[in-house]
């Protein structure tokens, strides 16, 4: 039996946890998606509609590249019914791929409308049908936890990366440590060992010699999630800001998004409450939460707000309009910069803007009393790594605490769950190997 | 090759004190300025770029060598660069500091008009607005995805309707009738202009309409509803166009100040920045001899770590084939742009 080669879009480090979701399933061979480069992007741009958001273009380019050079014909994509058109990208991309002559492409959609309704489980029966193998329930449950755990650690590593880079004494040491950690995480598939990975992260970051007295400028770094993930697209802006000596507080990664779709993200609920006055509902992209994090970081006394989004991303442009409006000038006093990305390789224009933005923040810090008097607080992550190392007991407590708080948040849902739909999906999944057709029950 | 033009030359053998050089390498032109310790502009040149910023910088330096007194090279105590090619030129001439043009323009403008609140700057390929308060930049914005209404666009239209760009302003002032032209996009503006020409409007009216459209586009696209306070300072190459100045004054309802040296304000600002940065230390300036060399730029991706920095380098033309990135060679004049500082 020939294995089915499956792959997905790389999206920065996200391929690590997508690999976790399909780890060790019989008949499936996972292919590491290659790094995005100019050729991939230009191939995607060539075959995309002109005014579609940029993530669509580079994901399409990645698929074409995987098809031609890595012999991959089966792709996993997300599908959604949200307010953002990104939810339907997989379907459109499949059509485009068929139209340009790649007839045997198959797409497996991971339905992320609401993870609680178990619709996403539908991806496994489809994969079983494709491979002709049976996946055991145990493996599927284990892989779900692998996915969640790996996504959590990827988010944590990238978050700490942004905080540490400005303090490093030997340049580019942080990048090396991050790559070592990601390699470790990619190869670790034992859930018991993963539960202790927090400690490994802290130990590796502790090896970086840092400037302990430093009180750097703080920046809230946020934007549309897919361009934030992919380094080629955003010119590794996070690293660029870090090298300038700015502490970057990265706001989102995929894990946070998954939590939100499980209705378990306390943080996003808090941000939504903050942003309610300006944006009362999810309008697509990350606009609501970006507004929330702007207000939150302004309260904390941050020095700036860096906002990146794909050219033609309507929700993020609405947010930009709100922040720049004349009548809101007094409410939004923290400096903000908006960078729209469309895959041009000219970094010079963006460098000019962020350097000028840096000078602006330095000037503010010197002379503007609002920013001069703001008290600098060392972030918890840095404190735990370099100043007050956690004890074994504290590590144990935090490894229990996080899932528990998730569960508690889930028990107080803000969105209604369609229980009948959930039961139907669950039963459909469990009865997938029986001859009895469960759907006939619902059609009565 | 375009010859550099003088804008100002007050330098002579008997001027005392330290001198500072600022170079602004923009997308369309290269500007040089020399100041003394009291921030007075003594000397300024302007050249149109013909493709290569290196060649036009060398041309400028060669020109300076010709016209300036002999001992001038030793009296330059600091060099600053700005503009889109600032890192390239910094590596080329061994400048002390490379700062983005936004800061350089802000410094330049606030030296002449200390209480300036709004700087309108329209250059060859970008337009920006800088808001200041008490001599400190509080906010800025550059055109993000569109170059409609910049100097290049005017240049192009001037060629198309066969009016010398220098006389653009006079034409606009002579206009007696009003024409409305779409300024949102260069292509739309051009097709509007063509149809207006066919409808029989005079060149003067069309140019005036174009100036108004450009200003409208600038205020909508670049200023984006920011609150603009007087006094206004208008600088950059387009400020030479009095039609645009008039249109700005009409739209803003306030006088717009244009300094006589608006051309070189970026270079002037970067000279001041260099002066502040050097602060008595020794400058890393290579001297004016750079103009004799034949240099070519290049780049490769550093394979050593995951940052994948694009390393840029300058080599002597005759040795260009010998460089492959890995080896360290005498031929390499300068290398920069790595995150770790290795190259």
């Amino acid at each position: 039996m020939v294995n089915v080669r499956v792959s997905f879009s790389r999206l920065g480090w996200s391929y690590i946890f997508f690999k976790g979701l399909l780890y060790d399933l019989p008949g499936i061979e996972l292919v590491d998606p290659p790094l995005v480069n100019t050729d991939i992007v230009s191939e995607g741009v060539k075959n995309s509609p002109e005014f579609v958001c940029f993530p669509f273009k580079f994901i399409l380019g990645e698929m074409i590249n995987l098809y031609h050079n890595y012999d991959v014909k089966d792709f996993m994509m997300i599908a959604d019914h949200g307010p953002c058109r990104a939810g339907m990208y997989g379907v459109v991309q499949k059509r485009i791929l068929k139209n340009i002559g790649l007839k045997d492409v198959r797409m497996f959609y991971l339905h992320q409308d609401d993870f609680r309704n178990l619709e996403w489980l539908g991806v496994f029966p489809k994969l079983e049908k494709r491979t002709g193998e049976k996946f055991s329930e145990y493996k599927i449950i284990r892989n779900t936890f692998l996915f969640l755990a790996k996504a959590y650690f990827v988010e944590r590593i990238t978050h700490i990366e942004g905080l540490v880079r400005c303090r490093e004494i030997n340049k580019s040491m942080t990048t090396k440590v991050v790559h070592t950690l990601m390699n470790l995480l990619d190869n670790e598939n034992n859930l018991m060992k993963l539960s202790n990975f927090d400690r490994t992260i802290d130990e590796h970051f502790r090896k970086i010699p840092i400037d302990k007295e430093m009180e750097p400028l703080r920046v809230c770094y946020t934007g549309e999630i897919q361009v934030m993930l992919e380094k080629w697209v955003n010119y590794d802006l996070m690293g660029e800001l870090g090298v300038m000596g700015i502490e970057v507080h990265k706001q989102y990664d995929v894990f946070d998004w998954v939590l939100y779709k499980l209705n378990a993200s306390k943080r996003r609920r808090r941000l939504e409450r903050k942003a309610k006055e300006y944006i009362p509902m999810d309008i697509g992209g990350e606009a609501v939460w970006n507004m929330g994090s702007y207000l939150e970081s302004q309260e904390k006394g941050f020095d700036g707000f860096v906002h990146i989004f794909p050219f033609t991303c309507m929700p993020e442009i609405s947010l930009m309009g709100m922040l720049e409006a004349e009548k809101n000038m007094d409410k939004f006093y923290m400096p903000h910069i908006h960078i729209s990305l469309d895959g041009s390789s000219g970094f010079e224009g963006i460098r000019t803007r962020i350097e000028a933005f840096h000078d602006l923040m330095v000037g503010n810090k010197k002379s503007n009393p609002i920013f001069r008097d703001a008290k600098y607080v060392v972030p918890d992550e840095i404190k735990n790594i370099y100043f007050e190392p956690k004890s074994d007991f504290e590590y144990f407590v935090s490894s229990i605490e996080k899932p528990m708080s998730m569960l508690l948040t889930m028990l107080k849902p803000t969105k209604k769950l369609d229980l009948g739909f959930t039961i139907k999906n669950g039963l459909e999944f469990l009865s997938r190997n029986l001859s009895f057709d469960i759907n006939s029950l619902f059609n009565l | 090759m375009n010859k550099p033009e003088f804008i100002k030359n007050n330098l002579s053998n008997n001027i005392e004190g330290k001198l500072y050089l600022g170079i602004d390498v923009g997308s369309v032109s290269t500007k040089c300025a020399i100041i003394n310790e009291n921030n007075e502009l003594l000397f300024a040149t302007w050249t149109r770029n013909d493709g290569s910023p290196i060649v036009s910088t060398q041309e400028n330096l060669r020109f300076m060598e010709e016209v300036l007194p002999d001992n001038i090279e030793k009296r330059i105590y600091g060099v600053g660069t700005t503009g889109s090619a600032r890192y390239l030129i910094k590596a080329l001439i061994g400048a002390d500091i490379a700062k983005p043009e936004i800061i350089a323009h802000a410094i330049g403008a606030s030296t002449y008009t200390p209480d300036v609140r709004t700087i309108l700057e329209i250059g060859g390929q970008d337009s920006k607005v800088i808001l200041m308060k008490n001599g400190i930049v509080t906010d800025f914005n550059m055109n993000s995805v569109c170059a409609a209404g910049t100097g290049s666009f005017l240049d192009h239209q001037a060629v198309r309707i066969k009016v010398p760009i220098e006389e653009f302003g006079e034409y606009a002032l002579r206009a007696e009738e009003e024409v409305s032209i779409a300024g949102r996009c260069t292509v739309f503006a051009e097709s509007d202009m063509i149809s207006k020409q066919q409808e029989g409007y005079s060149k003067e009216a069309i140019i005036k309409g174009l100036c108004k459209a450009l200003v409208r586009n600038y205020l909508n696209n670049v200023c984006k509803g920011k609150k603009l306070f007087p006094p206004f300072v208008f600088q950059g190459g387009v400020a030479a166009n009095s039609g645009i100045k008039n249109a700005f004054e009409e739209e803003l309802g306030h006088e717009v100040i244009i300094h006589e040296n608006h051309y070189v304000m970026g270079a002037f600002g970067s000279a001041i920045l260099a002066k502040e940065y050097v602060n008595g230390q020794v400058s890393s300036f290579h001297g004016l001899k750079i103009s004799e060399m034949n240099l070519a730029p290049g780049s490769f991706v550093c394979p050593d770590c995951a940052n994948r920095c694009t390393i840029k380098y300058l080599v002597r033309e005759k040795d260009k084939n010998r460089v492959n990135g890995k080896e360290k060679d005498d031929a390499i004049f300068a290398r920069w742009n790595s995150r770790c500082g290795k190259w």
Side-chain angles (χ1 to χ4, degrees):
Chain A
M1 180 96 211
V2 187
N3 282 347
V4 178
R5 289 166 72 84
V6 180
S7 195
F8 14 78
S9 167
R10 187 176 171 103
L11 288 182
W13 297 110
S14 311
Y15 73 103
I16 291 178
F17 45 82
F18 281 116
K19 272 169 78 185
L21 188 62
L22 300 181
Y23 167 68
D24 192 28
L25 293 177
I28 289 184
E29 190 183 333
L30 290 170
V31 180
D32 276 10
L35 280 169
V36 179
N37 59 33
T38 321
D39 297 344
I40 290 178
V41 174
S42 55
E43 190 67 24
V45 170
K46 203 171 79 188
N47 293 307
S48 303
E50 187 187 353
F51 283 119
V52 78
C53 328
F54 188 61
F56 181 96
K57 297 179 183 173
F58 71 76
I59 292 174
L60 185 71
E62 283 185 272
M63 286 175 176
I64 296 173
N65 178 47
L66 279 163
Y67 185 94
H68 286 307
N69 302 333
Y70 292 79
D71 191 27
V72 179
K73 297 183 173 63
D74 302 67
F75 299 100
M76 213 165 75
M77 260 302 277
I78 49 160
D80 200 342
H81 321 158
C84 194
R85 56 183 175 180
M88 299 305 284
Y89 280 1
V91 187
V92 183
Q93 278 162 342
K94 187 175 170 185
R95 283 209 175 178
I96 291 179
L97 289 176
K98 295 226 153 147
N99 283 347
I100 60 172
L102 316 182
K103 300 273 183 216
D104 47 352
V105 162
R106 278 184 190 79
M107 289 267 193
F108 298 97
Y109 301 113
L110 199 60
H111 288 274
Q112 55 143 5
D113 191 28
D114 185 345
F115 281 125
R116 293 174 304 168
N117 69 17
L118 304 179
E119 204 183 349
W120 56 275
L121 279 173
V123 79
F124 292 107
K126 285 192 182 123
L127 280 170
E128 279 178 336
K129 211 171 159 191
R130 172 83 176 100
T131 54
E133 303 267 355
K134 297 268 174 287
F135 305 153
S136 71
E137 273 80 6
Y138 158 72
K139 276 189 178 169
I140 291 173
I141 292 169
R142 183 200 61 191
N143 284 357
T144 310
F145 280 108
L146 267 182
F147 175 84
L148 287 176
K150 287 193 174 186
Y152 169 66
F153 291 123
V154 167
E155 175 171 291
R156 200 173 150 74
I157 294 170
T158 47
H159 184 68
I160 297 178
E161 179 194 355
L163 302 178
V164 171
R165 188 175 277 115
C166 59
R167 297 158 205 268
E168 67 184 7
I169 291 171
N170 307 334
K171 295 280 176 229
S172 84
M173 184 102 176
T174 314
T175 316
K176 276 177 197 152
V177 167
V178 169
H179 277 257
T180 328
L181 278 170
M182 291 296 183
N183 260 335
L184 280 178
L185 186 63
D186 195 11
N187 296 324
E188 183 61 79
N189 287 310
N190 186 331
L191 270 177
M192 279 315 285
K193 283 186 183 157
L194 268 182
S195 69
N196 217 356
F197 203 75
D198 247 340
R199 185 199 301 252
T200 321
I201 294 175
D202 287 3
E203 275 166 7
H204 273 81
F205 274 112
R206 202 167 291 139
K207 285 183 201 156
I208 304 174
I210 62 156
D211 180 355
K212 290 194 178 175
E213 256 91 80
M214 194 174 181
E215 287 194 7
L217 295 168
R218 286 173 296 171
V219 150
C220 169
Y221 172 65
T222 182
E224 202 273 339
I225 196 160
Q226 297 181 51
V227 296
M228 265 176 81
L229 292 173
E230 189 51 66
K231 272 190 183 178
W232 190 92
V233 176
N234 61 33
Y235 311 101
D236 195 9
L237 211 54
M238 200 164 102
E240 211 60 57
L241 290 168
V243 171
M244 283 182 184
I246 302 171
E247 187 181 289
V248 185
H249 291 250
K250 190 183 174 195
Q251 297 293 318
Y252 312 111
D253 209 305
V254 177
F255 181 66
D256 205 53
W257 177 252
V258 173
L259 277 193
Y260 167 67
K261 287 294 184 185
L262 280 168
N263 208 338
S265 176
K266 243 186 195 168
R267 198 170 144 263
R268 290 214 182 203
R269 283 188 196 177
R270 193 177 71 228
L271 296 178
E272 271 168 23
R273 272 203 300 280
K274 279 210 163 72
K276 196 157 190 173
E277 195 188 329
Y278 304 98
I279 309 177
M281 57 193 256
D282 183 5
I283 57 168
E286 320 283 318
V288 192
W289 306 289
N290 285 345
M291 177 58 94
S293 25
Y294 180 87
L295 294 167
E296 196 180 67
S297 42
Q298 185 170 272
E299 279 165 27
K300 282 186 190 165
F302 277 32
D303 299 291
F305 179 78
V306 180
H307 178 222
I308 59 176
F309 58 93
F311 178 52
T312 74
C313 179
M314 197 272 294
E316 303 290 339
I317 291 171
S318 318
L319 168 71
M320 183 174 105
M322 267 173 246
L323 290 180
E324 286 184 341
E326 189 181 330
K327 64 170 187 176
N328 290 340
M329 237 165 99
D330 300 330
K331 286 176 198 155
F332 303 131
Y333 55 81
M334 187 171 75
H336 42 83
I337 186 169
H338 306 270
I339 295 170
S340 93
L341 302 160
D342 72 332
S344 76
S345 60
F347 179 60
E348 218 46 62
I350 291 175
R351 195 210 297 276
T352 303
R353 285 169 179 81
I354 57 174
E355 273 180 14
F357 190 65
H358 181 218
D359 287 342
L360 190 155
M361 288 194 293
V362 172
N364 257 340
K365 193 90 189 164
K366 264 188 206 148
S367 63
N368 192 335
I370 302 170
F371 299 98
R372 193 182 51 211
D373 305 337
K375 200 172 166 293
Y376 178 78
V377 186
V378 181
D380 286 345
E381 286 85 354
I382 297 290
K383 216 186 269 172
N384 286 338
I385 294 173
Y386 297 103
F387 300 115
E388 302 152 6
K390 279 195 208 169
S391 64
D392 287 0
F393 180 67
E394 278 170 321
Y395 275 117
F396 178 70
V397 169
S398 65
S399 70
I400 304 275
E401 194 193 344
K402 183 86 193 172
M404 286 310 285
S405 77
M406 255 175 70
L407 277 176
L408 285 176
T409 322
M410 268 179 91
L411 291 177
K412 286 185 284 177
T414 49
K415 268 191 283 180
K416 226 178 139 194
L417 173 67
D418 187 349
L419 211 60
F421 192 53
T422 312
I423 294 169
K424 174 182 168 267
N425 285 327
L427 284 176
E428 220 173 70
F429 174 71
L430 289 174
S431 67
R432 68 194 189 282
N433 298 333
L434 305 177
S435 54
F436 175 66
D437 183 12
I438 200 84
N439 274 322
S440 61
L441 273 180
F442 293 93
N443 294 338
L444 280 176
Chain B
M1 176 52 63
N2 289 298
K3 265 296 199 192
E5 296 168 26
F6 276 126
I7 290 179
K8 193 164 185 146
N9 187 5
N10 289 346
L11 268 184
S12 57
N13 272 324
N14 45 22
I15 284 183
E16 300 285 313
K18 296 173 178 177
L19 298 176
Y20 299 91
L21 170 68
I23 303 182
D24 178 357
V25 194
S27 48
V28 174
S29 57
T30 303
K31 285 81 72 179
C32 291
I34 293 181
I35 60 163
N36 66 6
E37 271 182 289
N38 304 326
N39 293 348
E40 283 162 10
L41 186 66
L42 299 178
F43 174 83
T45 63
W46 184 91
T47 330
R48 186 175 279 271
N49 278 0
D50 275 342
S52 165
I54 292 182
V55 175
S56 60
T57 309
Q58 286 177 333
E59 197 70 21
N60 262 306
L61 293 177
R62 190 174 304 143
F63 180 65
M64 276 160 65
E65 222 179 351
E66 279 171 23
V67 297
L68 291 180
D70 293 340
N71 59 345
I72 210 80
E73 193 179 311
K74 290 184 195 112
R75 283 173 46 198
I76 292 177
Y77 280 78
V79 182
T81 60
T82 184
S84 48
R86 60 186 178 280
Y87 286 105
L88 178 72
I89 302 305
K90 184 185 178 211
L92 175 72
I93 64 171
D96 301 294
I97 186 169
K99 277 278 178 186
E101 51 268 38
I102 295 165
I103 301 301
H105 276 287
I107 298 271
S110 62
T111 310
Y112 283 120
T113 320
D115 57 341
V116 59
R117 291 295 300 273
T118 308
I119 301 170
L120 314 162
E121 205 270 321
I122 304 186
Q125 222 172 59
D126 52 12
S127 43
K128 41 195 166 294
V129 59
I130 308 167
L131 306 183
M132 299 186 72
K133 202 174 181 181
N134 305 329
I136 284 161
V137 181
T138 55
D139 199 356
F140 66 88
N141 202 12
M142 278 171 91
N143 56 339
S144 51
V145 289
C146 176
T150 56
S152 305
F153 169 61
L154 284 183
D155 234 17
H156 179 67
Q157 296 310 329
V159 172
R160 215 185 60 77
I161 56 178
K162 297 220 166 57
V163 173
I165 184 75
E166 292 80 14
E167 291 167 26
F168 229 69
E170 291 163 30
Y171 269 74
L173 296 183
R174 280 210 300 269
E176 283 160 6
E177 46 201 338
E178 290 254 333
V179 184
S180 156
I181 286 178
R184 178 61 65 181
C185 171
T186 310
V187 179
F188 294 159
E190 189 167 335
S191 62
D192 241 20
M193 281 167 61
I194 292 170
S195 83
K196 290 280 151 49
Q197 268 182 319
Q198 288 161 356
E199 283 165 25
Y201 286 98
S202 64
K203 266 185 192 175
E204 284 84 358
I206 290 172
I207 291 172
K208 189 176 182 194
L210 192 65
C211 290
K212 291 193 95 170
L214 200 147
V215 166
R216 228 170 26 239
N217 183 41
Y218 175 85
L219 290 176
N220 288 337
N221 253 359
V222 183
C223 302
K224 275 187 194 150
K226 286 186 201 305
K227 202 163 196 159
L228 307 176
F229 298 96
F232 300 100
V233 170
F234 183 25
Q235 54 194 33
V238 178
N241 187 333
S242 46
I244 302 272
K245 179 185 179 239
N246 265 25
F248 262 123
E249 283 176 347
E250 257 174 54
E251 287 280 335
L252 295 167
H254 200 278
E255 191 209 357
V256 172
I257 305 164
I258 297 182
H259 194 267
E260 53 166 331
N261 296 325
H262 63 88
Y263 273 113
V264 290
M265 213 52 108
F268 176 65
S270 75
I272 296 177
L273 282 166
K275 192 191 93 187
E276 283 164 10
Y277 178 80
V278 171
N279 201 10
Q281 288 167 337
V282 183
S283 168
S284 55
F285 185 41
H286 294 333
L288 297 172
K289 65 177 188 301
I290 302 298
S291 58
E292 313 297 307
M293 286 180 188
N294 223 345
L295 295 165
S299 71
F300 64 92
V301 176
C302 168
D304 292 357
C305 86
N307 270 338
R308 310 270 155 187
C309 310
T310 308
I311 311 294
K312 299 173 185 168
Y313 58 80
L314 272 175
V315 290
R316 302 207 176 90
E317 192 93 68
K318 63 179 195 297
D319 300 324
K320 201 180 176 187
N321 301 331
R322 282 166 47 206
V323 183
N324 64 5
K326 274 279 182 191
E327 60 189 359
K328 295 201 171 175
D329 205 316
D330 301 343
I332 290 165
F333 190 76
R335 271 196 288 221
W336 70 100
N337 212 25
S338 66
R339 295 263 179 79
C340 57
K342 178 180 165 189
W343 299 98

